[in-house]
Amino acid sequence: MQKIVHLGTKLGSFASAAESVAETIEVTLTTKRVERLTERIGRERVIARELSIAEWESLPLLQKLAAPPGTKAPAVAVVSCDGGRMQRCDLPANAKSRWCETKIGVLLEIAPHPHECDPCPQIPDKFVDLVQMEQVTRELKGAVPKGQTFTSAEPSSSALNGDSTHGDSRSTDTTAGTKRDEIVAEPPVVESRDVIASLSDSATFGQHLASRAWSLGFAAALLKGFIADGSSTNWGLWERHFKHLEFVPILDFLHALTYVFSAAMAGRSREAGAPFYRRWITWIWQGEVTRVIAEVAARWAELGPLPQDACEGAPRQIVSETLTYLRNQQSRMNYPQYRRMGLPITSSHIESTVKQINRRVKGSEKFWTRAGGEALLQLRADQLCDTAPLDTYWHQRPHQATGTKNYRQTTPVPA
């Protein structure tokens, strides 16, 4: 049973799992049988999860501020969350779309690595490469300003803090480039990863994420961080469940980059927009967000206020959105401080986790009921956890699935 459920959860479809079961375990099962068995175990895991959340909610506040008995708190803990996609087949007939959002959280134990000063004060060359950053912007935001299509990489500027007339100058000093590469700090080392996933609403998911963080001892960690994009839902979750625990709020650097890139290129040619982008993203990297806001505000004033009938993707709209975004997120963009503390500044771990889960549940040909989708999300998240919750589940299941408790509750006692 354990092997069948593993294949039904990990492979791309229940049909593929049934074929693999016949080939490797030499047991012939129909696709529907594999599906029912996998979802049955997934529902058991969901019930266990709900019981854990209820137990956490019933705890006194002082216990929620400490690690659970017998659990060693990590030195550095980082929480991140994002959303994926899956299709539902049990929505009302008048629903606008079958696509629903899945909510995914990652809980990381990071190796402590503080620094006395910023280990990487100069922005890495890859973040000033226009071709690469256009690709990143398209992937994260789905669009770039019209007319901006770069086909070849440019040498990186050695004078990233220059003004608009000199910001596009090039350096041919390869020795300096080598030294530059040597001082780029290595990203924080992840020692352990736990994953949760659900179709629940934001409030319920927040309780799920907070209870899981508590069970891992994150509340008592010496250093704590919370990384997310600019979604108000994510930061509302941080406000309710993690702010009072002193989790440092960090805006994903790459999401900030996409807004700055779009605003710099909006209404400008490649040659005209490049120096603005390089200057602005360098200031962002160095924590000088106020300077970027001032120049973006000047650009917004230059383009004029946004009319009510402005078309989507108009330069003034892009600049206006960027200005609002930077003002709202400014308090979460002190990247030099985060690097000194040894905290990550990008949400790459949650992004890769979302992709791993989407490979199983997302597809134009895949449709789920709410119960079936929730069961698969729970099992797939369990598989991605370094703490191996499924191993514990399978070890305990024979002692918990005897049916004795239900039998005693439902069978009348003979007279």
Side-chain angles (χ1 to χ4, degrees):
M1 183 185 293
Q2 182 176 350
K3 293 177 180 179
I4 293 169
V5 172
H6 174 84
L7 293 173
T9 304
K10 191 176 184 66
L11 297 184
S13 67
F14 292 120
S16 297
E19 294 176 3
S20 296
V21 167
E23 181 67 26
T24 59
I25 310 177
E26 298 182 354
V27 174
T28 302
L29 296 176
T30 64
T31 298
K32 198 64 178 180
R33 177 63 176 162
V34 174
E35 176 184 348
R36 288 172 176 169
L37 180 58
T38 303
E39 292 185 359
R40 171 188 170 188
I41 300 302
R43 285 193 293 271
E44 291 183 12
R45 288 290 299 132
V46 170
I47 292 172
R49 179 190 80 193
E50 297 303 320
L51 291 174
S52 298
I53 295 174
E55 291 175 0
W56 169 80
E57 288 183 321
S58 65
L59 293 175
L61 177 59
L62 289 180
Q63 291 188 28
K64 291 182 179 180
L65 299 178
T71 300
K72 181 181 178 182
V76 183
V78 174
V79 175
S80 186
C81 56
D82 204 347
R85 303 286 285 175
M86 69 189 308
Q87 290 192 98
R88 294 265 303 276
C89 61
D90 56 352
L91 295 178
N94 59 351
K96 294 182 179 179
S97 174
R98 297 292 175 182
W99 289 103
C100 298
E101 182 185 41
T102 59
K103 297 175 178 62
I104 300 168
V106 169
L107 305 101
L108 306 173
E109 182 177 345
I110 302 291
H113 191 54
H115 305 272
E116 294 183 0
C117 58
D118 187 354
C120 187
Q122 296 298 321
I123 186 169
D125 291 344
K126 60 185 176 182
F127 293 129
V128 293
D129 185 303
L130 299 183
V131 176
Q132 292 188 49
M133 294 310 101
E134 183 202 17
Q135 295 172 350
V136 170
T137 301
R138 288 187 184 279
E139 180 178 353
L140 295 182
K141 293 191 68 176
V144 295
K146 294 181 179 179
Q148 304 297 338
T149 303
F150 309 143
T151 57
S152 60
E154 292 184 324
S156 299
S157 171
S158 62
L160 297 176
N161 288 314
D163 58 26
S164 60
T165 58
H166 302 289
D168 200 28
S169 60
R170 310 289 195 273
S171 172
T172 57
D173 187 348
T174 56
T175 303
T178 302
K179 292 180 179 179
R180 168 81 170 279
D181 293 338
E182 291 175 354
I183 66 173
V184 174
E186 293 294 329
V189 177
V190 176
E191 295 184 333
S192 178
R193 176 184 71 162
D194 259 56
V195 180
I196 66 170
S198 177
L199 276 170
S200 60
D201 57 71
S202 299
T204 304
F205 178 76
Q207 296 171 337
H208 184 187
L209 187 61
S211 66
R212 186 60 181 156
W214 175 81
S215 70
L216 296 171
F218 278 24
L222 299 178
L223 178 62
K224 293 162 280 192
F226 186 97
I227 304 177
D229 58 26
S231 169
S232 59
T233 301
N234 293 336
W235 294 112
L237 189 153
W238 168 80
E239 185 86 21
R240 290 189 298 273
H241 298 290
F242 295 95
K243 182 179 180 180
H244 69 283
L245 297 175
E246 299 182 344
F247 275 74
V248 178
I250 303 172
L251 176 71
D252 173 35
F253 176 76
L254 291 181
H255 278 83
L257 180 149
T258 61
Y259 277 86
V260 170
F261 181 89
S262 297
M265 297 298 171
R268 294 188 175 112
S269 65
R270 175 184 185 180
E271 291 73 17
F276 285 96
Y277 165 71
R278 292 194 175 103
R279 184 167 68 251
W280 292 353
I281 199 59
T282 300
W283 286 343
I284 295 291
W285 180 265
Q286 295 173 349
E288 301 180 21
V289 185
T290 304
R291 301 177 70 179
V292 180
I293 291 176
E295 290 206 3
V296 174
R299 175 60 173 165
W300 177 81
E302 176 185 337
L303 291 173
L306 183 66
Q308 295 183 352
D309 59 346
C311 61
E312 184 177 359
R316 62 178 67 188
Q317 181 185 29
I318 294 174
V319 173
S320 178
E321 291 176 352
T322 299
L323 182 59
T324 301
Y325 185 87
L326 294 177
R327 285 173 173 170
N328 291 342
Q329 305 297 331
Q330 184 175 2
S331 62
R332 307 176 186 122
M333 299 172 68
N334 192 352
Y335 299 114
Q337 178 183 350
Y338 309 146
R339 292 192 293 270
R340 287 195 300 269
M341 298 167 73
L343 292 172
I345 63 172
T346 69
S347 59
S348 57
H349 294 288
I350 183 65
E351 298 285 350
S352 62
T353 301
V354 169
K355 291 180 180 178
Q356 287 177 291
I357 292 179
N358 278 350
R359 289 193 192 104
R360 179 60 186 94
V361 301
K362 181 181 178 182
S364 59
E365 75 290 353
K366 297 179 181 180
F367 293 86
W368 305 87
T369 63
R370 181 174 183 84
E374 189 71 25
L376 257 293
L377 287 172
Q378 178 63 44
L379 288 175
R380 189 66 186 113
D382 285 343
Q383 285 185 337
L384 296 173
C385 292
D386 291 334
T387 52
L390 281 178
D391 290 349
T392 303
Y393 164 79
W394 287 114
H395 177 73
Q396 296 176 347
R397 188 173 187 271
H399 308 288
Q400 298 175 342
T402 61
T404 304
K405 183 176 179 180
N406 290 335
Y407 177 83
R408 288 175 177 172
Q409 290 178 341
T410 58
T411 304
V413 179

